Amino acid sequence: MMNSNEIIDDIANKEYEFGFTTDIEMDIAPPGLNEDIIRFISAKKNEPEWLLEWRLKGFAAFKKMQFPKWQHFEMPELDLQALSYYAAPKKKKQLNSLDEVDPELLATFEKLGIPLNEQKALTGVAVDAVFDSVSVATTFKGKLKEMGVIFCSFGEAVQEYPDLVKKYLGTVVPHSDNIFAALNSAVFSDGSFTYIPKGVRCPMELSTYFRINAQNTGQFERTLIVADEGSYVSYLEGCTAPMRDENQLHAAVVELVALDHAEIKYSTVQNWYPGDKDGKGGIYNFVTKRGICKGNASKISWTQVETGSAITWKYPSVILQGDYSEGEFYSVAVVRNKQIADTGTKIHHIGKGTKSRIISKGISAGRGDNSYRGLVAVGPRADNARNFTQCDSLLIGNDCGSHTFPYIESRNKTAMIEHEATTSKIGEDQIFYLNARGIDTEKAVALIVNGYVKEVLNQLPMEFAVEAQKLLSITLEGSVG
Amino acid sequence: MLTIKNLHAEVEGKQILKGINLEIGKGETHAIMGPNGSGKSSLASVLAGRDNYTVTEGEVWFNGKNLLDLSPEDRAREGVFLAFQYPVEIPGVSNLNFLKTALNEIRTYKGLPAIEGRDFLKLTKEKQQLVDFNANLMNRSLNEGFSGGEKKRNEIFQLAMLDPQLAILDETDSGLDIDALRIVSNGVNKLRDAEKSFVVITHYQRLLEYIVPDFVHVLYNGRIIKTGTKELALELEERGYDWLKEELHLKEA
């Protein structure tokens, strides 16, 4: 009979499932961050002059900025000059169809459970696969186009739909928003672009899958989603990376724009390499995600399941500009070993009658440290704004940490803001109770945790809710001691 | 069915059980009584496999298997059921989902296929009526916000669902008013049959008026100092435990 300590050891030594590397010929720019590399990236991607200018503005802003000091963890040393800012699988010529994608790449994504072959793909889900700096394939593009839905790599959008990109790029997360957003603006390499035309309900889940492979690179992609009047889209992103001893930086930017009566549902299942049990290696996931409900009665909903990364540091936010618009944030963040998460959301109520709902579930195990940080701001014009926040922490074991930093700023007397918070611990008693009914400890923890996060997982699209549930069970296996 | 031989156990270095001998046959109901701190609940915990107890000596055999070698979950799968004195609350996990998981774990262990959703619902309905358990509580989170009585009744409902061979009721009567006591006891009595054995741990003779035992044992200072039939319980009710303690001291002196 294994005791709990043995189970913990067993699991701590268990390898990260997606830790393999792909051996493929790459175009890699020399390390270093300067104007030349920005011009190099821009030229490589054949970008128009205005975009290069925008990048350079971002770089200028970046140079004036310092790393923040308010976060609840020690800022790791980042040598941004030592990184390479462009890494792409070498390709011989322009790709016209999936058949021309390097088989090694297809095999990689297949191994990750993301078949890019449309016959094999999950029905009802279109995928844009991003490998290091570039998008390697987008499935179901043709089918979507018939309905006027644009779903393609960012680079492609710049070429094919420059007006749309120019109109919305940087309107939600400006080039000077924060140091990582500024860095991203300067050196972003690819990402996804989505446009849903007026009145269209996107017929399938759209999904981006991010994979970091190359060594000593960062991943800086941008996602821009525009939902025109009365449209609806559900979008999902997933991420993995190989196991490497050095830390890698992922500094993405996601911008969402919802016009009148439009709805965007954005879900993330983040499973970047978390580092080993002593905290060596792992991804720094420093991401800026923000959506604006520009139109009246529009809605943006963020759902995130964060299980990976050495450090997760992000606050998917919603600006509720349109009257009667609605913002939601559902989050499960899990830390174990020496992982750190400092995450939460910001909701800005600007329009009248705006509503928001925040459900955050933090789970800390091992020596992990989990912080919820959230801001609910109500402006003077936001009559009858309503917010409900529920912020729960679950502790497993005695060496983990959990913190809550809620900020509320109300400048309107008619606003109603509610905040509820709980902290609980998975007890030996709960485990034993389930044991005594024939349920082993692993299953018992999974049962308790899944019960705890149910409210959030229910928000995910069906196929992914099941995946996320499994991922949580695997992540927390053996965390009880 | 269950044989306990010279069982010694300690918790945090303190000897609690000091040589228990007990033989429980198929279909028998044994009551274990005794003053506070005599080791009654510890015995239940040791049998169920709670890991803060260390068995220092002795053996426990259950249907020919060495029970002490098995993990708590395997003891449950073999057919040992502990009705907890203090059932825990598990938020977010529905009572039914929990029971279905437990039932299927036990079935898998026995090499049976998982139960079909329809059969499961049929079974729940049948058992819920049998032990008179409030149907509204079945879909609620496990014990969350249940009253003391509701929690105890849920233990009996689980007992009915999981259909063990040996059920240990650890002070199931504590905290129950007289009506709840009657309902719980009725439930237990309906579950009694020639195959199933019960160990009923209690402070009070009152419970034994409803659940009439075949044997009554008195546990004192970690040992069984007297065994009798249901009349012994009545005698204890009348005279307390002191005369037994005295008898014991005389014997030891």
Side-chain angles (χ1 to χ4, degrees), chain A residues 55-97:
Chain A
R55 285 177 180 276
L56 292 173
K57 271 192 338 202
F59 187 53
F62 166 79
K63 282 193 291 191
K64 287 191 212 128
M65 294 168 130
Q66 305 282 326
F67 289 126
K69 294 196 168 69
W70 46 262
Q71 67 277 16
H72 190 75
F73 56 88
E74 202 177 317
M75 186 70 193
E77 259 176 57
L78 285 177
D79 184 357
L80 295 173
Q81 290 301 337
L83 292 182
S84 162
Y85 288 87
Y86 187 81
K90 255 186 194 158
K91 49 183 172 186
K92 308 282 184 295
K93 55 179 171 59
Q94 191 57 41
L95 297 178
N96 292 315
S97 83

Side-chain angles (χ1 to χ4, degrees), chain A residues 1 4 428-441 443 447-452 454, chain B residues 48-50 71-73 76-77 81-82 84 88-90 92-93 98 101-102 105 143 155 158 162:
Chain A
M1 183 167 67
S4 7
E428 295 277 324
D429 281 358
Q430 288 176 319
I431 303 277
F432 179 67
Y433 188 77
L434 297 176
N435 288 160
R437 298 294 177 258
I439 300 167
D440 66 34
T441 301
K443 270 223 172 74
L447 202 63
I448 295 169
V449 167
N450 279 317
Y452 173 74
K454 197 160 63 186
Chain B
R50 199 186 271 275
S71 63
E73 57 271 24
R77 293 163 183 169
F81 181 95
L82 171 64
F84 283 66
V88 301
E89 301 191 4
I90 304 185
V93 176
F98 150 71
T101 308
E105 289 293 305
N143 291 330
E155 294 293 292
Q158 291 174 31
L162 300 180

Side-chain angles (χ1 to χ4, degrees), chain A residues 39-51:
Chain A
R39 288 178 192 281
F40 169 84
I41 295 169
S42 190
K44 195 96 190 162
K45 305 187 76 66
N46 192 27
E47 284 175 353
E49 189 61 28
W50 64 264
L51 191 50

Side-chain angles (χ1 to χ4, degrees), chain B residues 18 35 218-226 241-253:
Chain B
K18 302 173 182 172
V218 178
L219 195 63
Y220 174 64
N221 198 14
R223 248 173 283 180
I224 289 175
I225 57 166
K226 188 149 187 98
Y241 292 106
D242 286 347
W243 62 281
L244 272 177
K245 292 182 195 168
E246 262 165 48
E247 224 171 64
L248 182 75
H249 291 311
L250 284 177
K251 238 189 277 173
E252 280 182 353

